[in-house]
Amino acid sequence: MNSDSTGAGISKNDSYMNESLGLENILFVGSEIGKGFREGYARCLLDNFIDGIIIFDENGKIQAFNPIAELVFSYTSDEAQMEQINTLIPKLSPATYIQFVENGNGKDKIQGLEFSKKVTGICKNGFATSLNLLVNKIDINGCYLFMAIIRKI
């Protein structure tokens, strides 16, 4: 294993930004685990999480959507990845998460949204559903992704 001057085991040459910003890169930054294994492991975690997970970029475009989120919103993962996050959770408007990025912390709130908040989600059929929402910012070398964890109430 390569090691940098801090001894952390991550080579200065490990550049995960040269690959796509897929979930596998979030979970295994600097890891020497084979890419096929990383992708399978990351997909397994996402698919088997007990809550709905929606990962979206700083423009609001959905990047990943797990099976529980599919059940809650009635979108397939492929359909959801053609949508913006505020289509599904209107409270997560672009101004909300852009402010989150600009503030750079988001430890307690995302422009009025507490990390654990009851919100309304909009299903594919147009019906509203009540959700508990948690949001976390993921910083990948200055590029931001957001992970919304949802649970139907």
Side-chain angles (χ1 to χ4, degrees):
M1 174 173 10
N2 295 330
S3 180
D4 64 6
S5 61
T6 65
I10 299 172
S11 167
K12 291 179 182 176
N13 295 326
D14 287 340
S15 176
Y16 52 90
M17 292 304 292
N18 289 337
E19 300 178 15
S20 69
L21 290 178
L23 184 62
E24 68 277 2
N25 294 312
I26 296 167
L27 296 173
F28 295 101
V29 173
S31 174
E32 292 185 5
I33 297 173
K35 184 174 178 167
F37 177 81
R38 290 189 323 220
E39 290 171 358
Y41 186 81
R43 178 51 53 192
C44 182
L45 289 174
L46 186 65
D47 287 351
N48 289 289
F49 202 78
I50 195 165
D51 293 315
I53 297 178
I54 306 167
I55 297 176
F56 59 99
D57 64 22
E58 55 194 292
N59 297 313
K61 184 172 181 331
I62 295 174
Q63 302 293 318
F65 202 72
N66 79 344
I68 299 298
E70 289 180 341
L71 290 173
V72 169
F73 291 102
S74 301
Y75 282 93
T76 67
S77 180
D78 289 339
E79 291 171 331
Q81 290 180 43
M82 297 186 315
E83 299 291 341
Q84 296 291 112
I85 188 66
N86 61 342
T87 301
L88 306 178
I89 305 171
K91 243 340 193 199
L92 287 177
S93 67
T96 303
Y97 47 85
I98 287 170
Q99 172 121 12
F100 186 74
V101 172
E102 289 172 354
N103 288 344
N105 54 35
K107 290 184 176 93
D108 299 316
K109 294 186 176 187
I110 303 176
Q111 192 179 342
L113 269 184
E114 296 175 7
F115 260 137
S116 181
K117 179 80 173 176
K118 181 180 174 183
V119 296
T120 299
I122 306 298
C123 299
K124 182 179 176 181
N125 63 10
F127 289 116
T129 186
S130 294
L131 304 169
N132 278 329
L133 170 71
L134 294 124
V135 178
N136 192 20
K137 178 177 71 172
I138 304 166
D139 182 349
I140 304 175
N141 201 23
C143 294
Y144 298 103
L145 293 176
F146 297 88
M147 180 169 29
I149 302 173
I150 53 119
R151 181 175 289 172
K152 197 168 181 176
I153 299 174

